[in-house]
Amino acid sequence: MIPEDGSILAVAVDIAFILIMAAMVLAFLRLARGPSLPDRVVALDLITVLAVAFCALFAVSSGQAAFLDVAIALALVAFLATIAFARFAERRKARGPVPPDGSGGESS
């Protein structure tokens, strides 16, 4: 199974690409199915981590270091999005549950 020219790195990169794509499909399924908002946000965060891994792996595969810059920028944006969701969830928890009718508990 090991190539004769000694390019074990090429085989490992190909296997890693397949595993990242499989993980992306599973994360998209979790994003679509839920069942709750935190589950969906964690799935979205996982997708961004996998996208960062894909960019880094592509940088190794192609030999272009520019993709590492893309991976770093995407990781920073994903981190900020996770922090923003944590603050949103904290404020939502402090207010209490929202009624099923969507009125927000306000009386008119």
Side-chain angles (χ1 to χ4, degrees):
M1 184 79 192
I2 297 175
E4 293 177 13
D5 60 353
S7 61
I8 189 83
L9 179 65
V11 173
V13 166
D14 289 341
I15 291 171
F17 273 129
I18 292 169
L19 291 175
I20 287 174
M21 287 298 112
M24 256 246 210
V25 168
L26 293 174
F28 272 119
L29 288 174
R30 176 51 57 195
L31 182 68
R33 292 187 67 205
S36 66
L37 181 62
D39 290 329
R40 288 185 169 107
V41 171
V42 168
L44 189 60
D45 195 36
L46 176 61
I47 290 170
T48 58
V49 168
L50 291 171
V52 168
F54 185 87
C55 289
L57 194 60
F58 192 75
V60 169
S61 174
S62 67
Q64 296 180 359
F67 288 104
L68 292 177
D69 295 336
V70 172
I72 290 170
L74 183 58
L76 290 172
V77 170
F79 172 73
L80 292 175
T82 302
I83 296 299
F85 172 72
R87 291 194 60 165
F88 169 75
E90 182 179 326
R91 288 183 182 171
R92 188 174 185 190
K93 185 178 177 184
R95 281 192 297 166
V98 177
D101 63 357
S103 65
E106 301 169 357
S107 60
S108 36

